[in-house]
Amino acid sequence: MMIESLSYLPHPTLPSEELAGHFTDLAPPLTARQAAIESARCLYCYDAPCSRICPSEIDVASFIRNIHDKNINGAAAGILKQNILGGSCARVCPTEILCEDVCVRNHDAEGQPVKIGLLQRYAVDHAHFAAHPFKRAAATGKTIAIVGAGPAGLSCAHRLAMLGHDVVIFEKEDKAGGLNEYGIAKYKLTDDFAQKEVAFLLGIGGIEIRCRQVLGENLQLRDLHAQYDAVFLGLGLGASRKLGLTGEDAPGLLAAVDYIAALRQADDLSSLPVPKRAIVIGAGNTAIDMAVQIQRLGAEEVTLVYRRGFDAMTATHHEQDIAKANQVRMLTWAQPQQVLLDAEGKVAGMRFEKTRMEGTRLAGTGETFEVAAETIFKAIGQSLASEALHDPMAALLKRDGDKIAVDAGFRTVLPGIYAGGDCVAPGQDLTVQAVQHGKLAALAIHHDLISKVEAA
């Protein structure tokens, strides 16, 4: 159910300009002086743990040293060589559990890590390249089809273009960018940054994007397989999981990602429907993003509910602190039991059952309570949309749980077809991980295509 189902709700009472002010940068960028001071704190460790833990293999110590030496272009080039979406990743990557968590500065007298994410953002934002920093290799004459213009697909496309291949990306939405465009909290990626980053990426040349192309509808995998030298599937996860409760299709209950997408695409935030009271079900960053944003739009009471404890939440402690700082009420050890409806069949709230651990098993206690709300947003995870594999050839792909099975080179069981990003099993559902998948898949595709040429 899409956001149109909430059309009966009131709109924000705050003026558009004031609402827009609620969605400025979550973390203000560093000034030149701040970047100089922060880069000087880095110890430039040999075999730096921050570099080793980075999913996209950025040489963190090297780019920070370049900032310290005022070589901003060199710092940015080093970042972008490993992660072409380094600008967005600097803004949305959970550095607090990755590079900054292992920073050796955590263990000295200061006890504070170097602000790696903000320094990465500073380098990418302040670089001034006369031309695209990466040149294309000699043309190979090969053309690769990519399904999905999200982080995995874009990363794969850019690396393939660098290697001399031509690329056509097929995207189901009106814009490229995937979750960076449609699924990230508005205060994390501001000023249309996702589209600016796509435009920069396309500057290398050799990449064409065709929008409103949907696998299994107006796009068939069998045709792509026949017409192109290789195919990469960067489908993402388009289906929100079900609560499995009666009333789940009632007006007022919808997937958080649908509302977040509408919020990100809204030219005027005052046009969005906003409930007086909202419930968010979930424990990840999407749940936090939803709860914080609906509160900033003017909801008077926002309650985030999770069936386990705070330590089991996939949202980092940093994200949890953001929710608390925005007056989001967070209830743990409670699981949805029943959707409460009003006389017109619209959402009126939810009944929850308190939970506890019995050994290793989560169990209900039998004790229940109710929370009143006009809207319930579910953020309980996403799965690969079944319609994405309705395509006859795509249905032949081997599955690993509810995702596509791939080998170490992101090859599927179908020759010439590769997959990466959130739609495959390896790794975490992180933007930076999807970028790495796309990059590594591109290298595998290049290796396989060149090997065929050499063997012929």
Side-chain angles (χ1 to χ4, degrees):
M1 185 175 293
M2 304 300 284
I3 190 173
E4 289 78 10
S5 67
L6 304 182
S7 59
Y8 61 91
L9 292 173
H11 297 299
T13 56
L14 295 175
S16 299
E17 296 78 10
E18 188 172 346
L19 281 175
H22 292 177
F23 292 88
T24 54
D25 268 321
L26 179 65
L30 298 177
T31 64
R33 176 170 173 76
Q34 289 171 329
I37 293 171
E38 195 62 27
S39 61
R41 293 184 61 235
C42 182
L43 300 178
Y44 315 121
C45 305
Y46 174 76
D47 193 25
C50 53
S51 299
R52 282 189 275 114
I53 202 172
C54 176
S56 59
E57 301 176 319
I58 291 173
D59 188 339
V60 177
S62 176
F63 90 70
I64 294 179
R65 182 182 287 277
N66 273 323
I67 293 175
H68 181 262
D69 294 341
K70 296 183 172 55
N71 180 10
I72 306 303
N73 280 9
I79 293 164
L80 297 170
K81 180 180 179 181
Q82 295 300 109
N83 183 340
I84 192 60
L85 300 184
S88 58
C89 286
R91 290 161 165 82
V92 306
C93 189
T95 54
E96 65 274 10
I97 62 170
L98 293 171
C99 53
E100 292 178 15
D101 183 51
V102 299
C103 177
V104 297
R105 279 291 193 185
N106 277 319
H107 309 293
D108 64 13
E110 292 184 18
Q112 293 291 330
V114 174
K115 296 174 182 176
I116 298 170
L118 286 172
L119 285 171
Q120 179 169 315
R121 174 178 175 176
Y122 179 84
V124 175
D125 287 0
H126 289 82
H128 296 287
F129 299 112
H132 193 80
F134 306 108
K135 304 300 181 184
R136 298 190 67 192
T140 63
K142 304 293 184 181
T143 306
I144 293 89
I146 292 177
V147 182
L154 291 169
S155 173
C156 186
H158 187 270
R159 185 63 50 153
L160 287 168
M162 279 181 64
L163 294 169
H165 307 292
D166 291 320
V167 182
V168 179
I169 305 178
F170 299 87
E171 167 57 38
K172 68 176 182 178
E173 302 292 350
D174 293 331
K175 299 178 184 178
L179 282 179
N180 282 357
E181 177 60 40
Y182 293 98
I184 297 293
K186 194 174 182 70
Y187 52 75
K188 292 181 180 176
L189 280 178
T190 61
D191 300 323
D192 206 25
F193 186 82
Q195 291 309 302
K196 293 175 183 176
E197 194 168 46
V198 170
F200 168 76
L201 181 150
L202 295 177
I204 194 171
I207 304 171
E208 175 190 355
I209 299 178
R210 301 178 188 175
C211 292
R212 301 179 188 176
Q213 301 292 304
V214 183
L215 191 65
E217 294 182 14
N218 58 350
L219 190 67
Q220 302 299 321
L221 184 57
R222 187 176 301 279
D223 294 337
L224 297 179
H225 190 248
Q227 296 168 15
Y228 293 86
D229 295 290
V231 180
F232 175 77
L233 302 176
L235 301 173
L237 299 176
S240 294
R241 293 195 172 98
K242 297 281 189 179
L243 292 167
L245 299 176
T246 301
E248 191 162 356
D249 295 327
L253 197 159
L254 75 163
V257 291
D258 291 341
Y259 194 97
I260 291 172
L263 191 160
R264 284 196 57 86
Q265 298 305 306
D267 294 324
D268 180 2
L269 296 179
S270 66
S271 67
L272 294 169
V274 177
K276 178 180 179 182
R277 298 164 298 185
I279 295 170
V280 180
I281 310 297
N285 289 347
T286 299
I288 299 289
D289 286 355
M290 183 67 246
V292 171
Q293 289 186 112
I294 200 69
Q295 194 282 334
R296 291 188 176 195
L297 283 171
E300 296 178 12
E301 183 179 294
V302 181
T303 306
L304 187 150
V305 188
Y306 177 46
R307 59 185 178 146
R308 299 180 187 271
F310 285 111
D311 289 343
M313 294 181 72
T314 54
T316 66
H317 290 296
H318 172 69
E319 292 287 332
Q320 294 177 38
D321 288 342
I322 292 172
K324 294 171 184 176
N326 282 272
Q327 292 78 53
V328 173
R329 182 170 68 144
M330 302 176 72
L331 301 179
T332 55
W333 300 109
Q335 62 186 5
Q337 187 186 72
Q338 182 181 348
V339 179
L340 305 177
L341 305 176
D342 63 15
E344 297 177 346
K346 299 186 180 72
V347 164
M350 178 166 274
R351 180 177 296 123
F352 295 91
E353 180 182 13
K354 293 186 177 181
T355 59
R356 65 184 176 212
M357 294 303 297
E358 293 182 353
T360 59
R361 186 177 68 89
L362 184 71
T365 65
E367 184 179 354
T368 63
F369 65 94
E370 295 180 358
V371 178
E374 292 77 40
T375 307
I376 299 171
F377 298 102
K378 56 180 181 178
I380 55 175
Q382 293 179 276
S383 59
L384 186 61
S386 58
E387 59 266 24
L389 298 182
H390 276 175
D391 177 281
M393 190 171 188
L396 300 176
L397 294 168
K398 183 180 178 182
R399 306 290 284 274
D400 186 346
D402 62 352
K403 298 188 177 185
I404 299 171
V406 293
D407 67 10
F410 298 91
R411 303 171 183 87
T412 72
V413 294
L414 302 180
I417 298 179
Y418 305 73
D422 292 348
C423 69
V424 304
Q428 301 169 282
D429 293 343
L430 299 174
T431 299
V432 65
Q433 187 73 70
V435 170
Q436 181 73 351
H437 284 188
K439 180 177 72 178
L440 295 179
L443 295 175
I445 292 168
H446 177 72
H447 173 271
D448 294 348
L449 290 178
I450 298 304
S451 296
K452 286 182 181 178
V453 172
E454 292 175 348

